């Protein structure tokens, strides 16, 4: 599934989630009030709420489940070095959740002495909820279509590109022994480095937003930080093949010895 297909799917399901939230407030909930016995109506109302809120995100994750497994590979370009594109699945899933949340902000109130609902008549609440709904919907679409999170490895160092700018870290300034392979649920992969003024800083890469296996990326960064003689070959197909062979050897050792990656790269 291409990145564009993922974004289109997320937009369609996100719009459906937004509409489902509105439909639940204005149709399903009033319908549950008319069902007898009362307990059954409450149960059906809660079921409708859960389906309307969780259906679209769960369907999106189900349809894109094959994208969970990110490759142990980089994009190769003689001028750009090794590149890592944005992982389309996780930003798009966040966008679907934001659009779902936006639908819940279209507030309704019960008409007194009836089983009917209407848009809230409270002026302040109407404006506040409307503004919040528009903001959440805009953020959701931005996550789906505009979020760009890219990483570039060159013979000079690492450059992380985000919507807020870029951060370049020369190989010589990387902290020793890192970065470590992040856990399965880790939100960031910290890369420690020293600035020119001697202060230590941390570049926090997001494994969720990069289309590469973080278990491959972390030891490769550590490898180039510790093996400067290999940096000149960054961006070539031969170097990528050596890295992948080294990763297979490293990943197959019980204690994940870093020397396996270096040994394979030297061959």
């Amino acid at each position: 599934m291409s990145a564009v297909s993922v974004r289109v799917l997320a937009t369609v399901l996100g719009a459906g989630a937004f509409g489902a939230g509105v439909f639940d407030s204005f149709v399903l909930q009033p319908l549950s009030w008319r069902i007898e016995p009362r307990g059954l109506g409450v149960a059906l109302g809660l079921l409708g709420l859960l389906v309307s809120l969780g259906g679209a995100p769960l369907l999106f994750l189900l349809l894109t489940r094959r994208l969970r497994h990110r490759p142990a590979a980089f994009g190769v370009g003689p001028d750009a070095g090794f590149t890592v594109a944005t992982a389309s699945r996780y930003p798009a899933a966040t966008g679907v959740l934001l659009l779902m949340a936006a639908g819940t902000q279209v507030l309704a109130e019960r008409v007194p002495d009836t089983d009917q609902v209407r848009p809230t008549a409270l002026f302040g609440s109407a404006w506040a909820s409307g503004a919040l709904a528009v903001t959440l919907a805009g953020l959701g679409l931005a996550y789906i279509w505009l979020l760009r999170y890219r990483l570039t490895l060159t013979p000079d160092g690492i450059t992380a590109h985000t919507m807020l700018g870029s951060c370049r870290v020369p190989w010589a300034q990387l902290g020793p022994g890192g970065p470590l392979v992040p856990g399965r649920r880790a939100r960031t992969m910290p890369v420690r480095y020293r600035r020119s003024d001697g202060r230590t800083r941390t570049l926090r890469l997001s494994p969720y937003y990069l289309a590469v296996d973080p278990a491959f990326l972390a030891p490769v960064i550590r490898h180039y930080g510790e093996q400067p003689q290999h940096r000149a070959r960054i961006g070539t197909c031969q170097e990528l093949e050596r890295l992948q062979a080294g990763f297979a050897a490293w990943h197959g050792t019980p204690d994940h010895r870093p020397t396996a990656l270096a040994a394979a790269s030297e061959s």
Side-chain angles (χ1 to χ4, degrees):
M1 183 179 291
S2 68
V4 174
S5 300
V6 172
R7 294 187 179 107
V8 171
L9 176 64
T11 303
V12 172
L13 292 178
F18 180 90
V22 177
F23 184 77
D24 178 77
S25 298
F26 286 86
V27 178
L28 293 183
Q29 293 304 316
L31 183 62
S32 69
W33 299 337
R34 305 186 186 103
I35 296 177
E36 296 294 340
R38 181 62 177 168
L40 178 60
V42 172
L44 292 177
L46 290 175
L47 178 62
L49 178 63
L50 291 175
V51 172
S52 63
L53 293 183
L58 290 177
L59 181 59
F60 176 81
L61 293 176
L62 178 64
L63 294 176
T64 59
R65 63 188 182 278
R66 292 185 178 180
L67 300 179
R68 292 179 303 172
H69 306 291
R70 286 164 287 176
F74 299 124
V76 178
D79 298 326
F82 291 140
T83 60
V84 182
T86 307
S88 56
R89 185 177 192 244
Y90 296 100
T94 302
V96 174
L97 289 172
L98 288 169
L99 287 167
M100 177 202 72
T104 64
Q105 300 306 310
V106 182
L107 300 182
E109 64 180 8
R110 189 169 187 170
V111 178
D113 302 323
T114 72
D115 289 335
Q116 305 296 321
V117 296
R118 64 189 179 191
T120 181
L122 296 176
F123 180 79
S125 297
W127 276 99
S129 63
L132 183 57
V134 171
T135 300
L136 290 173
L139 286 174
L141 293 174
Y143 261 87
I144 294 171
W145 289 101
L146 300 180
L147 181 67
R148 294 294 181 269
Y149 197 107
R150 185 166 55 89
L151 188 68
T152 304
L153 280 65
T154 66
D156 297 326
I158 309 167
T159 304
H161 307 269
T162 69
M163 291 183 65
L164 301 179
S166 62
C167 178
R168 180 179 175 274
V169 179
W171 294 116
Q173 295 181 5
L174 282 179
L180 301 177
V181 176
R184 292 187 60 183
R185 297 185 179 181
R187 295 188 177 184
T188 62
M189 186 175 75
V191 179
R192 297 188 179 276
Y193 64 98
R194 298 183 310 276
R195 297 199 319 183
S196 56
D197 59 6
R199 295 183 178 180
T200 301
R201 292 289 184 267
T202 301
L203 171 62
R204 298 189 180 277
L205 300 177
S206 175
Y208 288 106
Y209 291 168
L210 291 173
V212 65
D213 186 347
F216 174 70
L217 178 61
V220 165
I221 293 177
R222 183 168 62 247
H223 168 69
Y224 285 127
E226 298 173 350
Q227 303 291 331
Q229 69 274 20
H230 296 153
R231 299 171 189 167
R233 298 187 299 212
I234 293 177
T236 65
C237 294
Q238 294 81 2
E239 179 68 3
L240 178 59
E241 291 174 358
R242 280 191 289 268
L243 290 175
Q244 291 174 316
F247 174 71
W250 173 85
H251 207 55
T253 58
D255 54 353
H256 285 182
R257 292 179 290 109
T259 53
L261 181 57
S265 294
E266 291 170 353
S267 61

